[in-house]
Amino acid sequence: MLAAIAAAGSALTVLATAAPAGATTARTSAGGAEVVCSSRQPGLALRLSRDLAHRLHGRPGTSAVAFYDRPTATSCSYNAGAAFDSASVVKVTVLGALLRQAMERRYPLTAEEVRLTTAMITESDNASTSELWRRIGPDGIRHFLEVAGLRHTVPGADGHWGLTRITAGDQLRLLRLLTSENPVLDRPARAYALGLMRRVVPEQRWGVPAGAPDTAAVQLKNGWLPRSTGGWRVHSIGAFTGDGHDRGMVVLSHGNPTMDDGIATVEGAARALHDGLAGPG
């Protein structure tokens, strides 16, 4: 079925086709790229692709989205392979690398490492991140990226962890690792990471939680970085679990004139996905 949908004064093209194993895939063009959603729930892929494209259309800069919802076997992507400067969302990767290192060496985190990781994730403390980045070392970071399958993530050079190049697809893979059984991070490591992400300070709890179900536990990390070229980088990643919920969401943005512009882009995309899963209307 091919339909034209008017949004913000221009047409968005939507194409829905049957996919294997009873799923449906819908593609909606937006900003020169496609929002691609797939779901086994009837009508959901089309609704999500249309609504997400509508929210992204006409926003300043460049954005990328990757999303999954396990209960409905739903996924969405938009520019998911495009590379962005990570800003502080890389701190979850740093945490994963440290936890993997501790697993392999078979020792628990030290009291100092607990202090540093807590500040890094819950407060987005940069000094703590720099110290952990140094302790883990380039080889430790690269090793974690390899075993975790984060093949499109490139660590920042010369200690500049905030300039690590990431993709929405890789960040979503990391969220999947944190929320399911896998050989990369064991249950205690996953529980520790998610516990810190649940404790992010209130003033940093914007982004992908916008529109999330009140009954979901929110595990979150945001990043924001202004640069002399390319404007503001504003990113948000999160996992939503508990009470029947099991979804992960990544929204990355680059070229925002202000931080507020980036937050508006991120939260608009998040609301499209959360509201779409809640049902029409």
Side-chain angles (χ1 to χ4, degrees):
M1 178 178 65
L2 186 66
I5 297 179
S10 65
L12 299 175
T13 303
V14 180
L15 177 63
T17 56
T24 297
T25 298
R27 302 173 182 270
T28 306
S29 62
E34 284 188 322
V35 176
V36 181
C37 295
S38 177
S39 180
R40 290 181 181 167
Q41 183 170 309
L44 183 57
L46 183 59
R47 182 166 69 246
L48 291 179
S49 68
R50 178 198 62 199
D51 292 350
L52 182 55
H54 177 81
R55 295 277 190 163
L56 294 172
H57 183 77
R59 295 299 307 163
T62 303
S63 57
V65 179
F67 170 78
Y68 69 80
D69 181 68
R70 289 190 176 107
T72 60
T74 298
S75 64
C76 290
S77 66
Y78 175 76
N79 280 336
F84 292 75
D85 293 334
S86 66
S88 287
V89 294
V90 77
K91 292 171 182 177
V92 180
T93 302
V94 175
L95 177 59
L98 180 69
L99 293 170
R100 176 67 188 189
Q101 201 170 73
M103 282 175 54
E104 292 182 349
R105 295 177 181 177
R106 298 188 178 183
Y107 67 74
L109 298 185
T110 66
E112 177 70 359
E113 288 169 336
V114 169
R115 183 187 70 79
L116 291 169
T117 53
T118 299
M120 176 177 69
I121 299 298
T122 66
E123 302 173 17
S124 204
D125 183 71
N126 291 338
S128 299
T129 310
S130 295
E131 176 60 19
L132 289 168
W133 185 269
R134 184 193 66 79
R135 291 187 183 195
I136 297 164
D139 289 344
I141 296 292
R142 285 192 292 267
H143 175 62
F144 176 69
L145 296 178
E146 181 179 355
V147 298
L150 306 181
R151 296 180 178 85
H152 305 290
T153 300
V154 181
D158 301 321
H160 297 299
W161 45 263
L163 298 182
T164 296
R165 298 290 278 173
I166 62 171
T167 67
D170 268 9
Q171 290 295 293
L172 194 71
R173 180 176 180 84
L174 180 58
L175 291 176
R176 288 183 183 274
L177 289 174
L178 291 175
T179 56
S180 61
E181 294 287 339
N182 65 84
V184 179
L185 294 171
D186 61 19
R187 186 182 297 272
R190 298 194 307 272
Y192 182 75
L194 292 173
L196 291 182
M197 294 170 71
R198 279 194 295 274
R199 292 164 50 198
V200 167
V201 294
E203 58 268 28
Q204 295 179 21
R205 299 190 70 81
W206 47 265
V208 294
D214 292 338
T215 52
V218 177
Q219 289 97 180
L220 170 72
K221 186 70 194 80
N222 293 331
W224 56 97
L225 176 68
R227 301 199 69 192
S228 57
T229 58
W232 281 82
R233 285 74 165 152
V234 180
H235 313 316
S236 185
I237 69 173
F240 306 86
T241 59
D243 197 31
H245 305 292
D246 189 355
R247 66 185 69 163
M249 188 184 303
V250 175
V251 186
L252 311 178
S253 68
H254 164 98
N256 299 287
T258 68
M259 183 174 173
D260 285 345
D261 287 319
I263 292 174
T265 294
V266 170
E267 293 192 343
R271 288 186 184 281
L273 294 167
H274 289 307
D275 290 351
L277 279 166

